[in-house]
Amino acid sequence: MGQQVDKDRYSEAEFTRFGERLTQQLTELRELLARPGFGAGPATIGAELEMFLITPDGRPLPRNHEVRDAADDDRLVPELGRFNLEVNLTPLPIAGRPFSALERELRETMTLVDTATATQGGQAVAIGILPSLSEFDFTHEALSDESRYRAMSRGLRRLRTEPFRVHIEGVEQLELEVEGVILESANTSWQVHLRTAPADFARVYNAAQLAIGPVLAVSGNSPSFLGRRLWEETRIALFEEAADDRDVERLDRRDRRVAFGSKWVSGIEEMFETCVRDYEPIMPMITEVVSPADGEAPELAELRLHQGTVWQWNRPIYDPANGGHLRVEMRALPAGPTPADMAANAAFLLGLTAAMAVEPVEEFPFAAAYRNFYRAAIHGLDASLSWPGRGTEEIPASRLALDLLPAARAGLIRLDVDPDEADRALGIIRDRVMLRRTGAIWQRETLERLGDDPAGRSRMVTRYRELSLTGKPVHTWPI
């Protein structure tokens, strides 16, 4: 979705031609994957952070283009909603001290966005779902003024003629019906990319599918939406339903466009083929075909654009840069609360993924990994999770996370992360779990003190931002 889209309306002939390009490029991808040496190179990580722009009293501020222009930094990109902005961090080797580097760049870029937002009379904050959002913030005018978002909205409406219905049952219940995809803008995430060799891709991807359950359970930061107490990570349910392009006839034919998946995978070719086979294009932009120079990888622009409109919680990425490579994009973690928390969450996820990538995770029932993911999103630290080697036993996520920290550390060491770097990052996870203070728990307990009404929610956002500016992890925050 980072690719530029040149218009927002397409003909049926363009949809047909785009589908033909996808079929052609699947063949090119298979040939590329068979090329000796393709994708070789050291493991690297990258990350994206989505943020909210807010007014001084904690309400959404629809000024993302103006803020980006004021910041004048290529790392910033407007997101779907006019009150969202995305920061693309610099890729770096995972060996050494990558999480300290991520934390430093997060502090730098978050300060940059905050300073630029001040020119528009506002501030910036990293939080999974902004608690002060109201139904009136999701109008057509809230959509970013960019061709790609207008095209995405029209493309999804082409597939789904009926309204988008959101039904979430948590501590309370939420039911909504909207005409477009603007509700997606309520979600902001912290997305981590891991460069992976083609031969290792399936086992690393499957390991990430297993690892995300316990990691999500200790990372919750989105406990409510529109004044309702819902899941610990309400983003998961909201994004899945707000972008569900299936009409009545498609409900039982495939997963949602935002989904966890339905089985362990056997190779990256299978994943791209499934994406093309099961999901219709929504932005059929045709590009000029340019033959790659010697040593360069093909652009496969249409295939990459299409893959960017199917939002699995763990997603395969093909990137033609630097001779071409593959990445696992891990999309389920929420934005915030602080750079230290996000770096620690990334360390736990990457370390546990590396540890489980050398295990036969496919012997573990996929249905159990699926349950882990959604239970973690709903119940957080109190979720009952299962794990390989523990039979049918289910234990609280808080206990499982503490038990898995040594494995995550071993995984990071296997990736050549400095031991003290691993200990520092995972120590934040340990203390957060032992003190039972995730971002979601802090938000709930603070609202109990301030009052769960519009004024209380705005005050809570203001207090959250003040504490996040200290840089201290959320488990140290006072109520």
Side-chain angles (χ1 to χ4, degrees):
M1 283 299 294
Q3 295 164 258
Q4 291 298 313
V5 175
D6 56 7
K7 60 182 182 178
D8 52 41
R9 294 180 185 273
Y10 296 89
S11 68
E12 289 303 314
E14 286 173 304
F15 277 98
T16 300
R17 179 61 181 139
F18 188 84
E20 294 169 352
R21 282 280 184 93
L22 292 179
T23 301
Q24 294 168 5
Q25 290 176 10
L26 279 176
T27 300
E28 292 181 56
L29 179 65
R30 292 187 203 102
E31 295 171 351
L32 181 64
L33 292 171
R35 183 188 298 174
F38 167 72
T44 59
I45 58 174
E48 306 163 52
L49 171 64
E50 298 164 347
M51 301 182 69
F52 279 99
L53 310 179
I54 59 173
T55 63
D57 60 354
R59 294 275 298 129
L61 177 71
R63 296 283 190 280
N64 61 0
H65 280 84
E66 296 86 344
V67 170
R68 179 197 57 183
D69 292 344
D72 191 25
D73 191 303
D74 291 340
R75 291 173 293 180
L76 308 186
V77 218
E79 260 293 335
L80 176 72
R82 293 191 63 217
F83 40 73
N84 303 136
L85 200 63
E86 180 179 276
V87 178
N88 293 291
L89 301 187
T90 309
L92 71 162
I94 197 167
R97 305 186 63 82
F99 306 109
S100 296
L102 278 180
E103 187 176 344
R104 280 195 302 273
E105 190 172 10
L106 278 169
R107 286 198 303 268
E108 173 201 331
T109 51
M110 290 169 70
T111 300
L112 172 71
V113 174
D114 199 59
T115 302
T117 311
T119 68
Q120 304 300 312
Q123 303 163 339
V125 65
I127 190 169
I129 293 178
L130 189 66
S132 55
L133 287 165
S134 77
E135 291 91 336
F136 305 106
D137 295 314
F138 300 104
T139 64
H140 180 71
E141 291 73 25
L143 193 72
S144 283
D145 186 21
E146 298 231 336
S147 294
R148 60 174 168 161
Y149 295 125
R150 292 192 297 270
M152 184 178 76
S153 182
R154 289 193 173 101
L156 287 170
R157 293 294 300 148
R158 173 179 173 271
L159 298 178
R160 182 186 174 109
T161 56
E162 59 201 48
F164 291 83
R165 294 184 177 89
V166 173
H167 176 83
I168 305 174
E169 290 191 11
V171 178
E172 298 177 278
Q173 183 171 293
L174 174 70
E175 291 198 37
L176 281 175
E177 186 173 287
V178 295
E179 292 299 321
V181 296
I182 189 60
L183 282 181
E184 283 187 40
S185 64
N187 299 304
T188 58
S189 60
W190 164 238
Q191 300 164 17
V192 181
H193 294 241
L194 175 64
R195 177 171 173 166
T196 306
D200 301 332
F201 194 90
R203 60 186 182 83
V204 172
Y205 182 88
N206 288 338
Q209 290 280 79
L210 178 62
I212 189 57
V215 178
L216 186 64
V218 304
S219 306
N221 198 30
S222 315
S224 64
F225 180 51
L226 300 182
R228 274 88 161 180
R229 287 182 57 188
L230 299 166
W231 294 10
E232 291 292 278
E233 256 313 300
T234 303
R235 292 169 41 257
I236 302 301
L238 182 58
F239 194 10
E240 290 192 351
E241 301 213 1
D244 189 357
D245 66 332
R246 302 173 304 169
D247 56 21
V248 172
E249 294 181 357
R250 292 182 179 90
L251 285 179
D252 298 322
R253 285 171 46 193
R254 61 161 169 80
D255 288 336
R256 290 182 170 101
R257 215 166 181 103
V258 183
F260 181 74
S262 55
K263 63 178 182 177
W264 301 120
V265 303
S266 58
I268 191 166
E269 302 99 321
E270 163 199 350
M271 302 188 71
F272 276 92
E273 289 165 1
T274 299
C275 180
V276 171
R277 182 189 68 235
D278 291 353
Y279 298 92
E280 295 181 52
I282 59 176
M283 291 190 296
M285 187 182 75
I286 306 295
T287 62
E288 180 182 355
V289 177
V290 178
S291 297
D294 290 343
E296 292 185 354
E299 288 290 322
L300 306 185
E302 284 79 3
L303 186 59
R304 290 164 51 224
L305 178 61
H306 180 59
Q307 187 75 14
T309 65
V310 180
W311 299 280
Q312 298 111 311
W313 291 113
N314 288 309
R315 181 165 69 178
I317 299 290
Y318 162 69
D319 191 331
N322 303 316
H325 64 271
L326 305 177
R327 300 196 301 270
V328 178
E329 181 187 20
M330 306 172 190
R331 302 173 46 82
L333 296 176
T338 67
D341 287 300
M342 289 185 279
N345 295 343
F348 190 22
L349 179 54
L350 292 170
L352 193 54
T353 296
M356 300 313 297
V358 298
E359 300 289 336
V361 299
E362 295 81 5
E363 296 177 4
F364 186 66
F366 183 85
Y370 182 97
R371 282 195 303 272
N372 280 355
F373 178 74
Y374 288 101
R375 287 179 178 179
I378 295 169
H379 301 295
L381 294 177
D382 294 324
S384 294
L385 306 183
S386 53
W387 196 255
R390 293 175 181 260
T392 59
E393 178 190 16
E394 293 184 347
I395 62 174
S398 54
R399 194 175 107 207
L400 178 62
L402 293 175
D403 289 349
L404 291 176
L405 286 176
R409 183 183 189 276
L412 292 175
I413 301 304
R414 188 175 291 115
L415 293 170
D416 292 326
V417 174
D418 289 353
D420 59 336
E421 174 87 343
D423 292 338
R424 176 181 175 275
L426 297 178
I428 291 174
I429 301 295
R430 181 195 62 239
D431 293 346
R432 183 195 303 162
V433 172
M434 293 184 70
L435 293 171
R436 294 189 60 82
R437 180 64 57 78
T438 64
I441 292 172
W442 184 91
Q443 290 185 48
R444 280 203 316 274
E445 293 184 355
T446 299
L447 277 178
E448 289 173 3
R449 301 284 185 92
L450 295 175
D452 196 353
D453 54 28
R457 290 192 284 274
S458 291
R459 287 197 299 271
M460 189 269 279
V461 170
T462 301
R463 180 61 173 151
Y464 174 103
R465 180 179 175 277
E466 290 172 353
L467 290 168
S468 69
L469 288 175
T470 68
K472 296 179 179 178
V474 70
H475 68 267
T476 69
W477 291 8
I479 298 297

